[in-house]
Amino acid sequence: MPIQSRAKVTSDAILEAAEIIVLNEGYEKATTNYIAEKAGASIGSLYQYFPNKDAIISALIEQTVSRIANGTRAVLRESIELPLEQASRATYEYLLHQFRENKVLLYSISKQTPELVELTKNLSVEKFTHSTNRALLEQHRDEIVVEDIEQALIILEIAVLANMRRYILENPAGMTDQEFIDSMVRLSTGYLTA
């Protein structure tokens, strides 16, 4: 196997092992020795790719955010010709599913060390999907009454993602997923078109 291919396989195995350990046993159990063992790699090989445990977790978070962002862009592109309400609904349903499925990596584990807190501040799905979100709004410009689309988009990204995070972690209103999505669609389309 070419060296680059082996390196990718080893790196992927380390990330996969770390994810399994973190999700099933917790952040504390994810030592570099344990990750290397689960990955079927030597500790020396692990350190060739990652200097420490937090570098592995950071790479795992980056990989997860990138995957969700790519999926979000795909949903937005597929929905761009739909009415604004339907496009919003499709996007929120996708995000809710992805954020819930990855809540440990995106919400819980990031608070373990200052480096991870800083990483998650700088690495967020909306930063990677902002231009596609804007294209969706531009596509529906004739329906939108707010004058500054850029400002409106930033406000919506903050509001929707903060509400989604709180809903996933706490669900303070005791809503169903459908009720929550309906509320987010009303919130965003109402703000843009009322």
Side-chain angles (χ1 to χ4, degrees):
M1 192 182 299
I3 292 172
Q4 288 180 334
S5 296
R6 276 189 303 213
K8 174 113 175 80
V9 168
T10 303
S11 175
D12 288 349
I14 291 167
L15 291 174
E16 186 178 329
E19 183 174 22
I20 290 167
I21 294 167
V22 165
L23 295 180
N24 295 329
E25 301 177 51
Y27 174 83
E28 299 77 24
K29 297 280 186 186
T31 64
T32 52
N33 284 325
Y34 191 32
I35 293 169
E37 177 188 324
K38 284 281 194 188
S42 70
I43 191 68
S45 291
L46 181 144
Y47 284 127
Q48 285 180 328
Y49 302 102
F50 304 100
N52 56 41
K53 170 182 167 173
D54 283 346
I56 298 169
I57 302 303
S58 294
L60 193 54
I61 292 170
E62 287 179 35
Q63 179 181 4
T64 302
V65 168
S66 178
R67 184 176 34 77
I68 294 171
N70 287 334
T72 303
R73 283 193 294 268
V75 169
L76 287 165
R77 283 192 300 272
E78 291 167 10
S79 306
I80 204 158
E81 298 295 329
L82 294 175
L84 185 58
E85 185 175 318
Q86 289 177 15
S88 298
R89 182 174 303 282
T91 305
Y92 300 157
E93 286 172 351
Y94 174 80
L95 286 172
L96 181 62
H97 173 76
Q98 291 300 315
F99 287 160
R100 180 178 284 133
E101 192 170 286
N102 295 285
K103 73 179 179 183
V104 171
L105 287 172
L106 298 176
Y107 300 139
S108 305
I109 204 165
S110 62
K111 295 178 180 66
Q112 297 295 327
T113 66
E115 293 81 18
L116 293 176
V117 169
E118 192 59 33
L119 172 73
T120 53
K121 280 184 190 173
N122 295 321
L123 187 69
S124 54
V125 171
E126 72 272 16
K127 288 185 180 180
F128 292 101
T129 61
H130 186 80
S131 61
T132 313
N133 293 339
R134 185 177 173 91
L136 176 71
L137 295 187
E138 292 291 352
Q139 176 72 19
H140 295 278
R141 188 62 178 125
D142 58 328
E143 302 169 54
I144 295 173
V145 297
V146 293
E147 290 184 28
D148 189 336
I149 285 187
E150 182 67 21
Q151 184 181 61
L153 180 55
I154 291 168
I155 289 168
L156 283 176
E157 287 170 343
I158 292 168
V160 170
L161 294 177
N163 277 299
M164 202 166 281
R165 180 182 190 282
R166 186 152 186 229
Y167 173 73
I168 290 169
L169 295 178
E170 302 169 21
N171 190 2
M175 303 169 91
T176 66
D177 284 359
Q178 193 59 52
E179 290 170 330
F180 175 74
I181 294 294
D182 289 345
S183 295
M184 290 299 93
V185 169
R186 279 193 307 276
L187 175 109
S188 59
T189 55
Y191 170 64
L192 293 169
T193 63

